[in-house]
Amino acid sequence: MGHGTNRVEDMSSPNNGTATTARDTVLEIHSVCLPPKETAFQKLKKRVADVFFPDDPLQRFRNQTWRNKVILGLQSLFPIFTWGSQYDLKLFRSDVISGLTIASLAIPQGISYAKLANLPPIIGLYSSFVPPLIYSVLGSSKHLAVGPVSIASLVMGSMLSESVSPTQDSILYLKLAFTSTFFAGLFQASLGLLRLGFMIDFLSRATLVGFTAGAAVIVSLQQLKGLLGIVHFTGKMQFIPVISSVLNHKSEWSWETIVMGIGFLCILLTTRHISMRKPKLFWISAASPLASVIISTLLVYLIRSKTQAISFIGHLPKGLNPPSSNMLYFSGTHLALAIKTGIITGILSLTEGIAVGRTFASMKNYQVNGNKEMMAIGFMNMAGSCTSCYITTGSFSRSAVNYNAGAKTAVSNIVMAAAVLVTLLFLMPLFYYTPNVILAAIILTAVIGLIDYQAAYKLWKVDKFDFFTCMCSFFGVLFVSVPLGLAIAVGISVIKILLHVTRPNTSEFGNIQGTQIYQSLERYREASRIPGFLILAIESPIYFANSTYLQDRILRWIREEETRIKENNGSTLKCIILDMTAVSGIDTNGLDAVFELRRRLEKQSLQLVLVNPVGTVMEKLHKSKFIESLGLSGLYLTVDEAVADLSSTWKAHGQP
């Protein structure tokens, strides 16, 4: 192909192969092709599929009979049908062992976490019965152990207690807890049904590390009430009010409670340490909470006549979960609080549940479907809100025990629920003398593991901005409030995204001598500038939010290059090459900016050349007639071809 032929070719043309200049014996120039022609509907369909259906959920239904499609549909809605047909006695034996093991952990944790949420202890046991049954049918994880968790319990307790007293107005508080759980489930299920799971990605790793650490510290400080035997304690969740409350109520400290608390805390921490060092001894830390509850309850029962200083739970009602749909609060002054609490706790519990499920799935080389998990956890919480349960999700500690105990399927959750059922029906009177201090010790042992200082150190080494986000989340939770601390961290994460979008990277490229490779001059010392050329790479889409900035930044590159040339008596700058390989999209503002940049460069007798625009960018440049205005030597497939072709053209015309 001669040099006078347009280098832009339509993919529908039969001549979309290799193009060359008249000097084809010396240099081969490849065409930059337009993408295949598509209608607006086809483009929209493809874009929607990429955004909402990246996993192509309908792929398995193609070329199937109606009978198979129905079976596959049931398996998609109810994963239990996938593994249920292959279930046998050997799997059941493993699930029974793991289910009973996690039940020994779930019963004391359920009671403890309910108190963390300022709810009656029995609510924690109710929440360890119904939700696991529902998840076992709908969930796609084989190892996720479902129940109350510390972070969601803390957040719910702190947010609701700011407006409603759990002691003075206990009925309203209970209604708001159930209603928050309902809205959390509704929000979670909606995300799954509408395939909007990417929304929870705004909770970055840095945000969660700081948030969970801050929440763990607050939870730990709150347990000083139980460990010290304090009766009157602040309901606030900030560092300073909690410490002040501890110091201002020294007269209420009970040495009997302190001795018992420290003793059992040391036992629990020791067993946890042993299990962490030797995973095969996982059962030691799994059984220690229930063993501690039994031993401490016996101690309190035996010394009850000698001391009244150690407070205990008292009466817990026997029986199954009572219905609570009549307690859902859908009107009134506190409805907004219930919705807000539900959404925040829903996001946190969903993030934890999916993260835990994927962690253990990767260990056993199977896949957890994020959207199915959202729907399973959402329906689980909606049903739970109608059966006297509060917010639940997959617990990391219980799931780790479940995994190490050899769980094979979600039946382990059913076994755990059965053990809780027996407890609810027959064993509740045995918890009458269970001391509150042992619940505080169990919570402390559980939340200490949430302070991941190694992850924070890694953030500091890898990304200082992420570390700053982490610290904002940590100190925000510690000194402001739990929800506001989380909001601050999310806000900073959003600012980080905006900075990347509005202030993208641009870099100057040079040729690595002896090769056809062009890379950053800053990164590669062996890369060198090409006389007469300024080669720039843009590393982001060109949108309305950054088009003006990019235009100004490119003009600044040009001024700096001209200054450098003058100082070094170099060759005159003739051409600006923009490597658009990393420009994944462009809008009308971006097109206007490129038009304006070209106009300014023409006034300075500089040529603008574009290299390797991607399909969608190429299509818009073509439709806007920009390719035509560039001329015949304004578009190339690679930087090397652009430099070689333009250099040979200048030499042919006698230009230096």
Side-chain angles (χ1 to χ4, degrees):
M1 184 185 295
H3 192 69
T5 305
N6 192 344
R7 192 176 285 110
V8 182
E9 296 186 8
D10 195 314
M11 285 290 289
S12 60
S13 170
N15 300 315
N16 60 358
T18 301
T20 63
T21 64
R23 298 172 298 280
D24 58 306
T25 56
V26 179
L27 180 65
E28 186 178 23
I29 305 299
H30 295 83
S31 301
V32 181
C33 298
L34 287 167
K37 291 182 178 179
E38 293 179 322
T39 64
F41 176 76
Q42 288 174 323
K43 292 177 184 177
L44 178 62
K45 180 181 177 182
K46 183 178 179 181
R47 184 59 180 159
V48 170
D50 288 342
V51 172
F52 296 103
F53 304 97
D55 54 344
D56 191 11
L58 300 179
Q59 187 272 335
R60 58 192 302 211
F61 291 92
R62 296 191 182 106
N63 302 319
Q64 297 285 345
T65 64
W66 276 106
R67 181 178 177 275
N68 287 340
K69 287 181 179 179
V70 171
I71 294 173
L72 290 172
L74 286 173
Q75 290 176 347
S76 297
L77 293 173
F78 306 102
I80 192 172
F81 287 112
T82 303
W83 51 265
S85 58
Q86 290 91 31
Y87 200 73
D88 55 26
L89 186 61
K90 184 179 179 181
L91 295 175
F92 181 67
R93 190 183 302 116
S94 299
D95 288 335
V96 167
I97 294 171
S98 56
L100 292 175
T101 305
I102 56 175
S104 67
L105 182 63
I107 292 170
Q109 279 192 349
I111 295 172
S112 304
Y113 292 158
K115 290 183 70 67
L116 190 59
N118 300 317
L119 293 167
I122 191 65
I123 300 297
L125 288 180
Y126 291 157
S127 303
S128 301
F129 172 54
V130 171
L133 291 176
I134 297 173
Y135 181 83
S136 64
V137 176
L138 298 176
S140 59
S141 173
K142 299 176 183 178
H143 300 97
L144 199 68
V146 170
V149 292
S150 57
I151 295 299
S153 300
L154 169 70
V155 172
M156 176 174 284
S158 62
M159 291 185 70
L160 295 181
S161 60
E162 286 181 358
S163 301
V164 179
S165 171
T167 54
Q168 298 176 5
D169 205 345
S170 58
I171 300 300
L172 176 59
Y173 187 91
L174 198 58
K175 287 182 177 180
L176 291 177
F178 293 150
T179 307
S180 299
T181 302
F182 176 83
F183 281 112
L186 182 64
F187 177 71
Q188 292 165 337
S190 299
L191 287 182
L193 288 169
L194 300 176
R195 306 183 71 84
L196 297 174
F198 60 85
M199 290 178 62
I200 66 174
D201 292 338
F202 282 99
L203 282 178
S204 65
R205 167 102 176 126
T207 300
L208 289 175
V209 168
F211 175 80
T212 52
V217 172
I218 290 294
V219 169
S220 302
L221 293 175
Q222 279 284 334
Q223 302 321 302
L224 292 176
K225 174 186 177 181
L227 283 175
L228 301 176
I230 299 174
V231 178
H232 303 91
F233 200 74
T234 180
K236 296 182 179 180
M237 292 288 177
Q238 294 84 31
F239 180 83
I240 294 175
V242 172
I243 294 297
S244 299
S245 183
V246 170
L247 298 177
N248 292 335
H249 294 93
K250 286 184 179 179
S251 59
E252 297 182 7
W253 291 15
S254 165
W255 69 267
E256 297 98 327
T257 304
I258 294 173
V259 170
M260 178 177 282
I262 292 176
F264 279 102
L265 183 60
C266 289
I267 293 171
L268 290 167
L269 289 174
T270 301
T271 57
R272 180 177 179 272
H273 180 71
I274 291 172
S275 296
M276 288 178 65
R277 293 290 298 271
K278 297 183 178 180
K280 290 184 178 180
L281 299 177
F282 69 91
W283 56 270
I284 295 178
S285 65
S288 59
L290 186 59
S292 299
V293 166
I294 294 171
I295 296 171
S296 63
T297 302
L298 285 172
L299 283 174
V300 172
Y301 176 76
L302 293 173
I303 64 174
R304 68 187 188 284
S305 59
K306 297 180 181 179
T307 179
Q308 302 295 322
I310 301 176
S311 64
F312 47 84
I313 292 177
H315 175 70
L316 292 176
K318 290 197 299 183
L320 295 177
N321 300 33
S324 57
S325 54
N326 60 322
M327 297 185 71
L328 296 181
Y329 187 96
F330 292 129
S331 62
T333 55
H334 298 291
L335 179 60
L337 173 64
I339 295 174
K340 181 174 70 172
T341 304
I343 291 175
I344 292 178
T345 55
I347 291 174
L348 289 173
S349 60
L350 197 61
T351 303
E352 180 174 355
I354 292 177
V356 172
R358 285 176 173 169
T359 298
F360 291 104
S362 64
M363 294 180 183
K364 285 295 185 179
N365 197 28
Y366 69 92
Q367 191 172 4
V368 168
N369 188 300
N371 288 299
K372 287 182 182 178
E373 288 297 285
M374 292 178 205
M375 289 188 284
I377 295 173
F379 289 134
M380 176 179 81
N381 281 314
M382 290 173 69
S385 68
C386 299
T387 53
S388 300
C389 304
Y390 79 108
I391 188 78
T392 54
T393 188
S395 162
F396 185 83
S397 59
R398 286 193 291 276
S399 298
V401 170
N402 195 33
Y403 175 85
N404 289 320
K408 301 299 182 184
T409 68
V411 170
S412 59
N413 275 295
I414 299 176
V415 175
M416 180 191 73
V420 174
L421 171 62
V422 172
T423 304
L424 287 169
L425 291 177
F426 305 109
L427 305 180
M428 296 315 297
L430 299 180
F431 292 97
Y432 186 91
Y433 288 104
T434 300
N436 288 309
V437 65
I438 198 64
L439 303 181
I442 291 171
I443 292 173
L444 266 171
T445 307
V447 301
I448 281 175
L450 298 175
I451 304 174
D452 194 348
Y453 62 90
Q454 291 180 334
Y457 177 67
K458 186 176 181 180
L459 289 173
W460 168 258
K461 287 179 63 178
V462 175
D463 191 320
K464 299 298 189 292
F465 195 97
D466 273 354
F467 179 78
F468 175 70
T469 303
C470 175
M471 289 298 100
C472 286
S473 180
F474 177 76
F475 289 111
V477 170
L478 215 57
F479 293 102
V480 184
S481 72
V482 173
L484 281 179
L486 181 63
I488 290 170
V490 172
I492 292 173
S493 297
V494 172
I495 290 173
K496 179 182 178 180
I497 295 172
L498 292 175
L499 282 174
H500 281 301
V501 172
T502 60
R503 295 295 183 267
N505 290 330
T506 55
S507 55
E508 185 179 2
F509 274 22
N511 176 243
I512 296 179
Q513 294 181 2
T515 72
Q516 297 178 343
I517 300 171
Y518 286 77
Q519 281 294 338
S520 170
L521 290 169
E522 185 178 345
R523 288 178 58 197
Y524 295 88
R525 294 182 179 178
E526 60 269 33
S528 58
R529 293 179 173 85
I530 305 299
F533 292 92
L534 174 61
I535 306 167
L536 301 175
I538 302 173
E539 300 177 3
S540 81
I542 305 177
Y543 290 145
F544 65 93
N546 62 21
S547 58
T548 302
Y549 166 81
L550 284 172
Q551 185 179 338
D552 292 340
R553 186 67 185 92
I554 291 169
L555 292 173
R556 177 182 159 192
W557 276 113
I558 295 170
R559 290 195 300 271
E560 290 173 348
E561 180 66 12
E562 289 177 336
T563 301
R564 188 193 64 80
I565 289 171
K566 288 180 181 178
E567 292 174 352
N568 295 281
N569 296 318
S571 300
T572 305
L573 182 63
K574 299 177 183 178
C575 178
I576 313 300
I577 297 178
L578 294 185
D579 186 346
M580 302 183 72
T581 303
V583 179
S584 58
I586 191 169
D587 65 0
T588 52
N589 288 72
L591 291 170
D592 290 341
V594 177
F595 269 106
E596 177 63 19
L597 177 64
R598 178 181 161 277
R599 187 184 63 80
R600 290 193 180 191
L601 294 182
E602 282 182 343
K603 289 183 177 180
Q604 301 177 42
S605 300
L606 295 172
Q607 182 180 358
L608 176 65
V609 171
L610 305 183
V611 168
N612 194 28
V614 298
T616 55
V617 175
M618 183 65 189
E619 184 178 20
K620 291 182 180 179
L621 290 171
H622 181 65
K623 288 184 176 180
S624 65
K625 307 298 183 184
F626 182 76
I627 299 298
E628 294 179 8
S629 67
L630 274 179
L632 303 173
S633 299
L635 185 67
Y636 292 86
L637 189 61
T638 68
V639 174
D640 182 67
E641 289 182 4
V643 171
D645 188 41
L646 292 171
S647 297
S648 60
T649 301
W650 296 341
K651 288 179 182 178
H653 289 82
Q655 298 180 20

